[in-house]
Amino acid sequence: MPTIKTASLTVPAARCAEFVAEWIRAAGFPLARLHELELVIEEVVVNICQHAYGDAAGEIELLCATDSAGNVVLEFIDSGKPFDMLTLPAPDLTAKVEQRPVGGLGVPLVRAMVEEATYRREGGRNMLRLLVRLAR
């Protein structure tokens, strides 16, 4: 995908949603799509904080890029322990709500709201790449 415009930011994890929201708004995404992607960002950041960093403070580098078709690529990069959220097991939705463990719905939500999600571990860092289309 030829990149037209890029930006990156390394921040405390809590600042990621604000940064991406600004980028996506500038890319012309409709408000409803922006709200969907805010949920995606929150889920990704929470998973990185919980699983890659645990109780330790950590930073997330966030790369945003757009292409000529108006697609946005979001890449979340962290230096936490190896963690691929895409391998987390799917929740058992057939079990009664009272019998299900808390959590586990975030990754299916992320997968449903983006067109493509890939993970790699490179240079001691986790890299999660999400491809998002303007229209769904």
Side-chain angles (χ1 to χ4, degrees):
M1 168 177 63
T3 300
I4 300 298
K5 186 176 179 184
T6 64
S8 68
L9 177 69
T10 302
V11 295
R15 171 97 167 75
C16 288
E18 182 182 323
F19 175 73
V20 174
E22 290 170 13
W23 183 267
I24 289 172
R25 199 174 296 115
F29 276 56
L31 188 59
R33 189 74 168 119
L34 173 62
H35 291 312
E36 288 179 357
L37 296 175
E38 286 175 334
L39 289 173
V40 167
I41 296 157
E42 181 178 339
E43 286 300 328
V44 169
V45 170
V46 164
N47 273 283
I48 290 170
C49 290
Q50 287 180 343
H51 299 285
Y53 287 121
D55 292 333
E59 292 181 332
I60 297 173
E61 179 182 350
L62 184 50
L63 171 66
C64 297
T66 55
D67 66 13
S68 59
N71 300 316
V72 171
V73 174
L74 305 175
E75 191 161 23
F76 298 82
I77 304 166
D78 69 81
S79 298
K81 66 182 179 182
F83 169 66
D84 178 1
M85 70 181 274
L86 301 175
T87 63
L88 292 175
D92 179 7
L93 299 178
T94 62
K96 292 183 180 182
V97 173
E98 308 83 40
Q99 298 171 339
R100 291 186 211 161
V102 175
L105 298 175
V107 174
L109 176 107
V110 169
R111 287 182 181 274
M113 293 188 178
V114 304
E115 282 59 48
E116 188 179 299
T118 58
Y119 168 86
R120 69 186 188 283
R121 179 85 177 167
E122 187 176 293
R125 301 184 320 159
N126 298 304
M127 299 180 172
L128 178 68
R129 181 183 180 276
L130 306 177
L131 173 68
V132 181
R133 289 204 173 85
L134 175 64
R136 291 190 50 88

